[in-house]
């Protein structure tokens, strides 16, 4: 793995006074009253909202320059080698009209990247540099000013090509937020007064626990991508560096996996349950919204009846950078706030939460990511020389078997924890078992064929909701857009099933959709390739850097729309 710490444009960790060998810096306070983002006048001043909790500050965040014009191309499909006969893989979007630039040596010093891709990579590096807050990277400069769990993992996977020590620091910094019971929270709040719509005052976790680093956090978790990221970062290190890094990470990481099973799989089903759609990372995916809508606050329903969505839209503050129609609906957002309030009242304790109205879902994507993470955890613990408790190994084995219970009609689905009913919403999550590596051989062909069908793989990539689904909206968050992290995970799984050509076609398509938009958007329309959501988004940047470094041939071929994968 080529590592470039010497020429890294990211400030080396040592220059910031931190290295993976040094303890992560402590934040001086964990008390709400002392925290700059809590209770202060200014952008985070809490106001009432219809969900009855949290802040509605009065500061506008300017929307950055809009997306580039969608590239106007005719749909093309090419035969998918390695996929069942008759399956087609949509070609990568064709290159912009400008003639191809001469190749320049790739920063990895291997296959030279065409000049336009080298420039795109520089843009991606620039985004990571601008979002670098020291030992953490914010997902985007305006909409997401704190540290998110799975974002930091995808970010570390890209950062390892620039500065492995900094990538390791990104992962180790997640342990600062670890709760005494082992949970690693989905957001660790940075010391910033920048506004975030679900900031510390909505969670009040300081009343429940003090985190290891004395930092403020949310009271829920997010997909456990840490082990995957750690193994990738470890690959970019010398053996000694890696062992040192794993020794520092492994105890906290094992405690996190223990917490997931102990707290969220109390019945030993093998599948952990989530208590909020934010834990899934796919906030408004139809599966979760089906479970969420019925618990909308009465005030929200009433306001909506009287004034339609406009009144609610006026109350939300997360849509100043991003138009409301690219995010979840206001009614759904205020319902998610209501669920947070109930979790807060339950002190984030699953045994209490179980007896409330809070929807509980055995999320298929989260569990798939956990299963793969378990494998990596074994590698990490082995190399660190730290044993994994026997009961945890048993739970890990149970998870692999339990995944089969989520299979129905050719796809995998999430399950309602309370009723045991499958939630039959086909979404991108249905394919994550490929990443987990748990799909039985006789089911792989069918699943891959469905993935590559135009319902899912539209002109500009894999839609997060099938394009013919009533819930499909091409530019709305997790209701249709292409997400770079989903592409990365699925391509990784396909590789391990020997479907390299389909995997590379996904990677080529990913590179091309980013190139065509010219910017690091949060997500992209699968129909016209236009960027949506937040811009200058970190994981899009990091995973682009990773794809170009690990699969440079993809960058070279991606402009050729007649290419046959
Ligand atoms: C809530 C940061 C996060 C991602 C999630 C994405 C979005 C947050 C929000 O942004 O969620 O966690 O405020 O919308 O859905 O996957 O981790 O990028």
């Amino acid at each position: 793995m080529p590592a470039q710490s010497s020429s890294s444009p990211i400030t080396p960790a040592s220059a910031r006074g931190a290295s993976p060998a040094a303890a992560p810096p402590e934040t001086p306070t964990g008390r709400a009253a002392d925290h700059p983002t809590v209770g202060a006048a200014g952008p985070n001043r809490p106001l009432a909202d219809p969900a009855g909790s949290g802040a509605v500050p009065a500061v506008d965040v300017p929307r950055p320059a809009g997306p580039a014009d969608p590239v106007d191309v005719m749909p093309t499909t090419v035969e998918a080698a390695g996929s069942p006969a008759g399956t087609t893989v949509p070609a990568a979007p064709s290159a912009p009209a400008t003639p191809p630039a001469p190749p320049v040596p790739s920063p990895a010093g291997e296959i030279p990247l065409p000049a336009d891709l080298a420039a795109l990579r520089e843009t991606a590096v620039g985004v990571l540099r601008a979002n670098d807050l020291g030992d953490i990277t914010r997902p985007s400069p305006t909409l997401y000013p704190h540290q998110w769990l799975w974002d930091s993992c995808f970010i570390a996977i890209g950062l390892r090509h620039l500065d492995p020590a900094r990538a390791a620091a990104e992962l180790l910094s997640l342990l600062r937020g670890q709760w005494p019971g082992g949970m690693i929270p989905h957001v660790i709040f940075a010391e910033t007064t920048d506004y975030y719509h679900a900031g510390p005052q909505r969670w009040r976790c300081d009343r429940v626990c003090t985190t290891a680093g004395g930092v403020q956090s949310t009271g829920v978790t997010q997909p456990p991508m840490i082990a995957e990221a750690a193994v990738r970062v470890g690959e970019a290190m010398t053996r000694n560096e890696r062992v040192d890094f794993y020794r520092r990470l492994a105890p906290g990481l094992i405690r996190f996996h223990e917490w997931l099973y102990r707290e969220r799989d109390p019945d030993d089903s093998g599948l952990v349950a989530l208590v909020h759609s934010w834990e899934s990372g796919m906030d408004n995916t139809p599966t979760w919204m089906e479970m969420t809508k019925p618990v909308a606050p009465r005030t929200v329903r009433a306001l909506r009846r009287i004034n339609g969505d406009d009144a609610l839209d006026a109350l939300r503050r997360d849509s100043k950078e991003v138009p409301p129609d690219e995010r979840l609906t206001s009614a759904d957002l205020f319902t998610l706030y209501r669920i947070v309030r109930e979790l807060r009242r339950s002190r984030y304790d699953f045994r209490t939460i179980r007896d409330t109205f809070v929807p509980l879902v055995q999320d298929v994507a989260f569990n798939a990511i956990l299963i793969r993470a378990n494998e990596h955890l074994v590698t990490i613990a082995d190399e660190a020389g730290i044993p994994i408790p026997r009961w945890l190994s048993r739970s890990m084995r149970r998870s692999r078997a339990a995944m089969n219970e989520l299979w129905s009609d050719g796809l995998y689905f999430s399950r309602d924890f309370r009723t045991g009913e499958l939630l039959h919403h086909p979404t991108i999550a249905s394919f994550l078992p490929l990443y987990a590596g748990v799909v039985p051989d006789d089911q792989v062909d069918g699943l891959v064929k469905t993935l590559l069908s135009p319902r899912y793989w539209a002109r500009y990539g894999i839609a997060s909701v099938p394009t013919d689904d009533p819930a499909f909206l091409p530019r709305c968050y997790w209701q249709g857009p292409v997400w770079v992290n989903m592409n990365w995970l699925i391509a990784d799984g396909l590789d391990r099933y020997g479907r390299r050509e389909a995997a590379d076609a996904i990677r080529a398509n990913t590179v091309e959709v980013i190139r065509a938009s010219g910017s690091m958007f949060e997500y992209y329309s699968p129909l016209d390739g236009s960027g949506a959501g937040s811009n200058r988004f970190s994981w899009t940047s990091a995973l682009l850097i990773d794809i170009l470094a690990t699969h440079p041939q993809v960058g070279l071929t991606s402009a050729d729309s007649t290419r046959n994968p």
Side-chain angles (χ1 to χ4, degrees):
M1 181 67 51
Q4 299 186 320
S5 18
S6 54
S7 61
S8 166
I10 300 283
T11 312
S14 52
R16 297 184 314 274
S19 78
E26 291 222 339
T27 314
T29 173
R31 297 190 58 79
D34 301 330
H35 196 282
T37 61
V38 178
N44 290 295
R45 186 183 61 247
L47 299 176
D49 67 48
S53 67
V56 185
V59 170
D60 276 7
V61 180
R63 178 168 169 74
D69 284 340
V71 183
D72 184 19
V73 281
M74 292 297 292
T76 340
T77 56
V78 292
E79 282 242 66
S83 61
T87 304
T88 56
V89 177
S94 52
T98 45
V104 295
S106 84
E110 293 173 341
I111 300 180
L113 291 174
D116 57 343
L117 279 188
L120 196 65
R121 183 186 182 280
E122 280 316 298
T123 303
V125 170
V127 168
L128 291 184
R129 190 196 297 138
N131 288 338
D132 187 348
L133 300 179
D135 281 336
I136 67 168
T137 308
R138 60 188 175 194
S140 81
T142 44
L143 194 57
Y144 307 121
H146 304 287
Q147 181 181 30
W148 266 256
L149 194 170
W150 78 334
D151 293 67
S152 275
C153 299
F154 292 119
I155 289 163
I157 289 170
L159 278 181
R160 71 189 168 134
H161 301 290
L162 310 174
D163 183 347
R166 173 65 185 79
E170 183 82 28
L171 297 176
L172 289 167
S173 69
L174 287 166
L175 298 181
R176 288 173 315 151
Q178 185 157 33
W179 284 30
M183 184 187 76
I184 299 187
H186 110 286
V187 182
I188 300 172
F189 294 111
E191 290 202 62
T192 172
T193 51
D194 288 350
Y195 174 69
Y196 175 58
H197 68 99
Q201 68 284 357
R202 204 174 275 292
W203 300 89
R204 299 315 307 245
C205 291
D206 51 310
R207 293 180 181 165
V208 177
C209 85
T210 309
T211 59
V215 290
Q216 294 265 13
S217 77
T218 59
V220 297
T221 191
Q222 234 188 358
M225 279 292 303
I226 304 174
E228 170 77 81
V231 164
R232 302 283 174 151
V233 171
E235 285 168 6
M237 294 174 147
T238 64
R239 191 179 139 69
N240 284 347
E241 287 169 342
R242 185 169 58 247
V243 170
D244 180 53
F245 167 46
Y246 285 176
R247 284 199 181 128
R248 300 184 62 215
L249 185 72
L253 194 53
I254 293 171
R255 289 208 303 123
F256 178 39
H257 284 233
E258 285 184 299
W259 174 82
L260 282 167
Y261 283 106
R262 195 184 55 241
E263 177 81 2
R264 297 301 185 81
D265 182 22
D267 308 334
D268 287 338
S269 71
L271 298 172
V272 303
L274 308 188
V275 301
H276 198 287
S277 80
W278 286 339
E279 293 200 309
S280 77
M282 303 186 201
D283 310 12
N284 71 334
T285 189
T287 316
W288 270 95
M289 289 306 104
E290 173 190 321
M291 298 289 284
T292 302
K293 282 181 199 302
V295 301
R298 246 185 310 215
T299 41
V300 165
R301 281 186 247 177
L303 260 177
R304 212 168 171 216
R305 232 184 357 258
I306 300 163
N307 283 325
D309 280 331
D310 288 354
L312 290 172
D313 285 353
L315 288 170
R316 69 192 286 184
R317 306 299 304 177
D318 66 315
S319 52
K320 298 305 166 206
E321 179 193 351
V322 175
D325 61 354
E326 292 178 18
R327 292 193 45 92
L328 71 178
T329 66
S330 301
D332 290 341
L333 182 65
F334 288 118
T335 308
L336 294 185
Y337 292 161
R338 178 184 184 214
I339 294 172
V340 169
R341 189 179 48 179
E342 193 64 19
L343 295 176
R344 202 172 66 213
R345 287 181 177 152
S346 304
R347 299 179 68 76
Y348 306 102
D349 175 0
F350 191 76
R351 279 161 305 184
T352 312
I353 296 167
R354 254 183 119 150
D355 297 328
T356 67
F357 65 81
V358 168
L360 302 176
V361 176
Q362 291 170 322
D363 185 272
V364 62
F366 189 107
N367 279 282
I369 289 171
L370 175 59
I371 287 169
R372 182 72 179 137
N374 287 336
E375 282 177 1
H376 288 311
L377 183 64
V378 171
T379 308
I380 292 167
D382 268 4
E383 214 163 339
I386 298 173
I388 292 189
R390 229 174 301 151
W391 77 264
L392 181 58
S393 302
R394 270 198 302 277
S395 296
M396 291 175 175
R397 277 196 297 276
R398 217 176 278 131
S399 281
R400 293 188 69 84
M403 224 32 184
N404 285 329
E405 297 164 23
L406 305 185
W407 173 261
S408 167
D409 300 332
L411 283 176
Y412 289 87
F413 296 102
S414 296
R415 190 163 71 183
D416 183 329
F417 172 81
R418 291 194 182 89
T419 66
E421 298 287 322
L422 291 183
L423 303 164
H424 279 99
H425 274 290
T427 70
I428 189 76
S430 297
F431 300 100
L432 269 276
L434 286 167
Y435 168 71
V438 292
V439 183
D441 287 347
D442 61 344
Q443 285 169 201
V444 176
D445 273 357
L447 196 58
V448 173
K449 187 172 178 186
T450 307
L451 173 74
L452 301 183
S453 71
R455 278 192 81 200
Y456 288 92
W457 198 342
R459 180 72 187 84
Y460 284 82
I462 303 171
S464 43
V465 167
T467 53
D468 57 357
D469 191 286
F472 173 73
L473 291 170
R475 289 173 54 82
C476 181
Y477 216 27
W478 291 96
Q479 256 180 267
V482 176
W483 285 80
V484 170
N485 64 334
M486 289 293 115
N487 286 1
W488 189 95
L489 291 168
I490 291 172
D492 184 72
L494 288 173
D495 274 345
R496 281 178 282 114
Y497 277 103
R499 307 300 174 108
R500 283 180 194 274
E501 283 153 299
D504 280 352
I506 292 177
R507 294 188 182 102
N509 201 285
T510 308
V511 170
E512 208 37 47
V513 79
I514 300 172
R515 169 155 66 180
S517 85
S519 275
M520 306 295 141
F521 280 100
E522 191 177 2
Y523 37 91
Y524 297 86
S525 160
L527 301 185
D528 64 13
S530 57
S534 192
N535 197 350
R536 293 168 288 163
F537 193 64
S538 293
W539 86 39
T540 299
S541 311
L543 296 178
L544 175 79
I545 292 168
D546 184 62
I547 292 171
L548 291 178
T550 56
H551 297 78
Q553 77 284 3
V554 156
L556 291 177
T557 58
S558 63
D560 177 4
S561 61
T562 62
R563 171 185 54 90
N564 185 342

